[in-house]
Amino acid sequence: MTKKYKQSVLINNDSKKQLLNYFLKHKFFKDYDEIKNENDNEITLVYSSCLLSLKFCQITQNFFIFLHFSKSDKSASLFKIHILRFFKKLKKYSKVFLLTTDTLVGLGTFLKNPNLKQIYLLKKRPLIKKIIILIGKIEQLNSFISKENYQKYQKEFQQHWPGSTTLIIEKQGFRIPNNLAIQELLIKEGPAFVTSANISNEKNLTLEQARKKFFCIFNVYNLTIGNGIASKIIDLDNNKVLR
């Protein structure tokens, strides 16, 4: 008998690595007898009572688990329960991602389908502290600020972007990263809320450290190596430098 489970996920090499590492270290799934590497997009875990096939589909961006068992018994039921729990967690964090930027490693969510709540919870960040928006090109600001300010601050946009400076306009911070791959991502997927991938008021993390700290985040965009320095912040509303 075979039972199939499916969840939409971001599928790239880093995301696959993150998801598989979490799955293989899970307290229930880690006790397999053997692991068979079928190919880059499929592995099979051999247990005494069943087989689990983990498959990634690049085209549809789906992650599948196939549970193969000879009879429906208590063991099969336990596997079903834990697989469903795993997919529930996968869905819970499906809108959140880790992103390497030109400054720090970021924890983010796209504005087109955001989940800011999970970012605040993961970071233990006070709700009164806003999260900046990363954009891929200046024209995307038209969706967030007035036409007057869009025209008024063209000189500042050209001076600081792309680059490691966040500009606050109408009480919201914006930045264009100085990296073409990130810009293309933000143009394709749209602007994103992005904050540093660490616990609030704790030290900044490398990508590998962030992957371990936020092991439940399966979406990973590893696009560049940052300088490890937080962005400069200029408040254009009040004409002053905040950081």
Side-chain angles (χ1 to χ4, degrees), residues 12-28:
N12 58 38
N13 289 336
D14 287 282
S15 292
K16 286 193 292 185
K17 176 183 175 182
Q18 184 80 345
L19 195 153
L20 287 175
N21 281 344
Y22 175 75
F23 191 91
L24 296 177
K25 292 177 182 177
H26 188 280
K27 62 182 179 181
F28 182 81

Side-chain angles (χ1 to χ4, degrees), residues 23-210:
F23 191 91
L24 296 177
K25 292 177 182 177
H26 188 280
K27 62 182 179 181
F28 182 81
F29 299 115
K30 68 179 181 180
D31 295 324
Y32 50 85
D33 299 321
E34 182 183 357
I35 182 170
K36 297 180 180 180
N37 288 302
E38 307 292 343
N39 53 58
D40 289 342
N41 291 312
E42 180 179 354
I43 66 169
T44 297
L45 304 178
V46 180
Y47 299 86
S48 58
S49 59
C50 67
L51 297 177
L52 279 184
S53 295
L54 314 180
K55 298 183 180 181
F56 296 93
C57 181
Q58 297 277 163
I59 297 175
T60 62
Q61 294 285 290
N62 283 319
F63 171 62
F64 297 89
I65 295 179
F66 294 90
L67 172 61
H68 311 282
F69 52 94
S70 57
K71 59 180 180 179
S72 185
D73 55 13
K74 183 178 180 180
S75 176
S77 297
L78 281 174
F79 271 92
K80 291 177 183 178
I81 290 171
H82 284 283
I83 289 172
L84 288 173
R85 287 178 179 173
F86 175 77
F87 272 93
K88 185 177 181 180
K89 177 164 284 191
L90 194 62
K91 186 175 182 179
K92 179 179 180 180
Y93 297 107
S94 63
K95 299 176 184 177
V96 181
F97 57 79
L98 290 172
L99 168 70
T100 55
T101 78
D102 52 330
T103 56
L104 303 173
V105 178
L107 183 64
T109 184
F110 291 111
L111 270 72
K112 65 180 181 180
N113 194 13
N115 190 344
L116 270 176
K117 177 182 177 181
Q118 290 303 331
I119 291 181
Y120 277 100
L121 289 174
L122 287 165
K123 276 184 64 76
K124 300 178 182 178
R125 183 183 178 93
L127 292 175
I128 60 172
K129 296 182 67 175
K130 285 190 174 183
I131 294 176
I132 74 164
I133 295 174
L134 293 187
I135 57 177
K137 57 183 180 180
I138 293 174
E139 289 77 8
Q140 288 178 312
L141 279 176
N142 281 308
S143 300
F144 304 103
I145 65 175
S146 66
K147 292 181 179 179
E148 291 76 13
N149 280 334
Y150 182 77
Q151 294 299 326
K152 178 181 178 181
Y153 295 122
Q154 281 296 316
K155 180 180 178 181
E156 286 78 4
F157 300 157
Q158 300 296 333
Q159 178 183 351
H160 295 290
W161 293 342
S164 57
T165 298
T166 295
L167 300 178
I168 295 179
I169 313 157
E170 298 176 16
K171 299 182 179 181
Q172 174 62 54
F174 300 92
R175 188 169 79 85
I176 299 180
N178 189 20
N179 179 273
L180 185 58
I182 302 173
Q183 292 170 27
E184 290 175 346
L185 173 68
L186 295 167
I187 291 171
K188 177 183 177 182
E189 300 294 340
F193 288 108
V194 179
T195 181
S196 57
N198 62 342
I199 303 301
S200 288
N201 299 319
E202 292 188 5
K203 69 175 184 178
N204 298 319
L205 304 177
T206 65
L207 177 60
E208 286 307 309
Q209 290 170 333

Side-chain angles (χ1 to χ4, degrees), residues 199-226:
I199 303 301
S200 288
N201 299 319
E202 292 188 5
K203 69 175 184 178
N204 298 319
L205 304 177
T206 65
L207 177 60
E208 286 307 309
Q209 290 170 333
R211 290 168 79 117
K212 292 177 182 177
K213 173 68 74 173
F214 303 107
F215 60 88
C216 55
I217 304 301
F218 306 110
N219 301 320
V220 182
Y221 295 98
N222 184 9
L223 302 178
T224 187
I225 298 176

